[in-house]
Amino acid sequence: MRRGRVVVVVVVLLVTMTSGCAWWGERSGTTKGAVYGTGAGAVAGAAIGGALGGGEGAWKGAAVGAAVGALSGGLIGNYMDRQKRDMEKVLANQDRIEREGDTLRASLSSDVLFESGSARLQTGADTKLLQIAEVLQRYPRTYVDVTGNTDNRGTESYNQNLSERRAQAVRDNLVKAGVDGSRVSTRGDGERNPIAGNDTATGRATNRRVDITIRPDEGLAQEQRKVDEGAPSPAPEEPH
């Protein structure tokens, strides 16, 4: 049983140590998911193996559990990482995309999409949204939340209405380009969530944005839970 305990302790220490260091913060979601999955799988495998076959069973169980855990931890992580890379290829320099856990958050500059005070898409904006729509269609197992944001010029009620109309305009364009409408929801946050100061022109331009939040749908989340519990699950479809 001693070797089984050793491998479990080592894996648990690995997960604990990496979670707190700077290097760990820079790893991709796939890498993090695989490490967490490895640790969980090793612990579960060692416990089962020890119950069935003593010390040797714990050692083998930990090894098998680690391999299965690595695959399970990377299920959603790999899917979202690939989608993030594809999205980065179509976003402009003034746009941003980041990943927070299993969620992607893209911020599109409103100055590129809309004229000041307008919710009508500018010429050329539909080309950008068409490219985004093509990426979303390659990864159909996600929900998409579109949120409009404004700077603080104008009244609060005006900005709220403008942000809602801009979010709706982006949604309508994505759906027109082929994205399933049932995947896409909208809301307007008005001037409530600035990400820069409104006291400069640059800051106000940064705050005038449309955010697109992409998260796994329930089907993909259920598959992840099943794999975490030890049931086999097919990998997400490759984009086409």
Side-chain angles (χ1 to χ4, degrees), residues 76 140-143 215-225:
I76 289 180
R141 307 190 67 182
T142 52
Y143 293 128
R215 52 194 170 82
D217 66 14
E218 186 57 31
L220 186 56
Q222 285 180 357
E223 282 191 22
Q224 179 69 70
R225 287 193 292 269

Side-chain angles (χ1 to χ4, degrees), residues 14-231:
L14 174 64
V15 173
T16 303
M17 292 170 63
T18 54
S19 297
C21 71
W23 172 89
W24 180 249
E26 299 174 355
R27 298 309 94 190
S28 70
T30 302
T31 301
K32 292 178 180 178
V35 172
Y36 284 130
T38 300
V43 172
I48 295 172
L52 297 179
E56 188 68 20
W59 175 257
K60 293 179 179 179
V64 173
V68 173
L71 292 175
S72 70
L75 179 66
I76 289 180
N78 181 271
Y79 194 75
M80 301 307 286
D81 276 346
R82 286 188 282 115
Q83 188 169 189
K84 179 176 182 289
R85 286 194 297 268
D86 284 359
M87 192 71 76
E88 287 171 337
K89 296 176 183 177
V90 304
L91 296 180
N93 292 333
Q94 65 268 34
D95 302 323
R96 297 179 305 280
I97 185 168
E98 60 185 11
R99 179 165 168 197
E100 299 175 3
D102 292 332
T103 300
L104 300 181
R105 301 186 189 281
S107 291
L108 311 181
S109 172
S110 280
D111 285 352
V112 175
L113 299 176
F114 306 100
E115 292 183 357
S116 179
S118 172
R120 177 176 294 181
L121 290 168
Q122 297 191 82
T123 302
D126 54 347
T127 300
K128 173 194 284 290
L129 294 176
L130 175 61
Q131 293 173 325
I132 292 174
E134 289 173 347
V135 175
L136 294 176
Q137 289 179 82
R138 289 201 296 271
Y139 297 89
R141 307 190 67 182
T142 52
Y143 293 128
V144 182
D145 301 320
V146 181
T147 305
N149 300 269
T150 71
D151 60 30
N152 67 349
R153 292 185 300 178
T155 67
E156 183 175 348
S157 61
Y158 174 83
N159 287 331
Q160 176 63 34
N161 179 266
L162 179 61
S163 68
E164 292 173 0
R165 289 189 291 121
R166 285 181 167 177
Q168 187 64 43
V170 169
R171 179 196 183 277
D172 291 346
N173 192 281
L174 293 176
V175 172
K176 181 180 178 181
V179 179
D180 184 349
S182 65
R183 295 173 57 195
V184 188
S185 62
T186 66
R187 78 168 189 268
D189 280 352
E191 61 187 62
R192 293 192 300 275
N193 291 313
I195 57 177
N198 278 306
D199 52 345
T200 66
T202 300
R204 289 191 296 271
T206 300
N207 291 330
R208 294 193 300 269
R209 69 194 190 278
V210 174
D211 294 334
I212 297 179
T213 303
I214 306 169
R215 52 194 170 82
D217 66 14
E218 186 57 31
L220 186 56
Q222 285 180 357
E223 282 191 22
Q224 179 69 70
R225 287 193 292 269
K226 289 179 180 178
V227 175
D228 290 342
E229 294 167 359

